[in-house]
Each structure stands twice: as C-alpha cells, then as structure tokens.
C-alpha cells in the first residue's frame, strides 16, 4: 500500500515506530503521535506516521529502507522541510533486552 504523502510547500515530520506509535492500547485520538500531530498542525506542520504493527522502529527503518528512501525523496521535493523521527518503542526495547540476555548466556 502506498505511504501517505506530504502537502506541497509545508514542513512535515515523518515518524517511524512500532505499535506504540500506532496508538496500541490508546483511546482514539489519544496516542502520542495523534497528540503531536494536533500540536504541529497549529503551526502548519504535517505529520506522516509510517509506523508498522509488530515491527520495531529499527526494523521499519531497515527492512523498508529502499521504499522509505524513495518516499522521502518525493516528500523532500514537495515539502519545505522534512524531519524524520525514529520512535523507539516497546518492540525495540524488548529486542534490546533479548540481545543483552543472549550475550549474557554466551
């Protein structure tokens, strides 16, 4: 499925994250990404959430690297400025703890 695009001439923030960035467990409109989006919109800044369910932010950034680079090139042509936020969430923390545990056992 195609990723959302930015509005031409506007600044945009792109978030790469996991279930937390998608609002898992939050009431509709209550996730931190939705709160940030509302705050930024008052300043004319758009937000695109490219987070994926059941993937860590690091996995989103690495496994979708080519697709994300192509999308970012398109957005940077249209947008006044682009900021990418890699939102480390629960999946990233879990994977890091698992790696530390595995290295301890070696």
């Amino acid at each position: 499925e195609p990723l959302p695009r930015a509005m031409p001439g506007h600044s945009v923030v792109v978030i790469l994250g996991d279930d937390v960035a998608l609002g898992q467990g939050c009431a509709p409109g209550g996730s931190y990404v939705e709160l940030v989006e509302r705050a930024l919109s008052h300043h004319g800044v758009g937000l695109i959430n490219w987070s994926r369910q059941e993937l860590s932010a690091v996995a989103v950034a690495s496994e979708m690297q080519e697709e994300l680079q192509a999308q970012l090139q398109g957005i940077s042509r249209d947008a006044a400025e682009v900021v990418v936020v890699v939102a480390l969430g629960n999946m990233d923390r879990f994977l890091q703890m698992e790696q530390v545990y595995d290295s301890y056992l070696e």
Side-chain angles (χ1 to χ4, degrees):
E1 101 190 39
L3 297 171
R5 302 267 321 186
M7 291 180 58
H10 287 81
S11 295
V12 64
V13 172
V14 176
I15 295 184
L16 306 177
D18 63 4
D19 294 349
V20 173
L22 291 173
Q24 178 185 20
C26 294
S31 74
Y32 82 89
V33 172
E34 292 165 307
L35 296 172
V36 169
E37 182 175 27
R38 284 195 297 276
L40 291 175
S41 70
H42 294 294
H43 302 282
V45 177
L47 185 140
I48 300 174
N49 190 352
W50 286 349
S51 302
R52 295 291 182 257
Q53 190 170 358
E54 298 184 13
L55 282 180
S56 69
V58 172
V60 172
S62 59
E63 291 177 18
M64 298 179 63
Q65 182 180 5
E66 289 179 19
E67 181 181 2
L68 293 173
Q69 285 178 337
Q71 293 286 339
L72 285 170
Q73 287 176 353
I75 288 173
S76 63
R77 279 192 298 268
D78 298 337
E81 107 182 285
V82 179
V83 175
V84 177
V85 176
V86 179
L88 301 178
N90 291 337
M91 292 292 289
D92 295 286
R93 290 180 187 95
F94 174 75
L95 292 173
Q96 183 181 20
M97 288 174 50
E98 190 176 70
Q99 290 171 348
V100 169
Y101 179 76
D102 289 346
S103 68
Y104 177 75
L105 293 178
E106 293 176 351

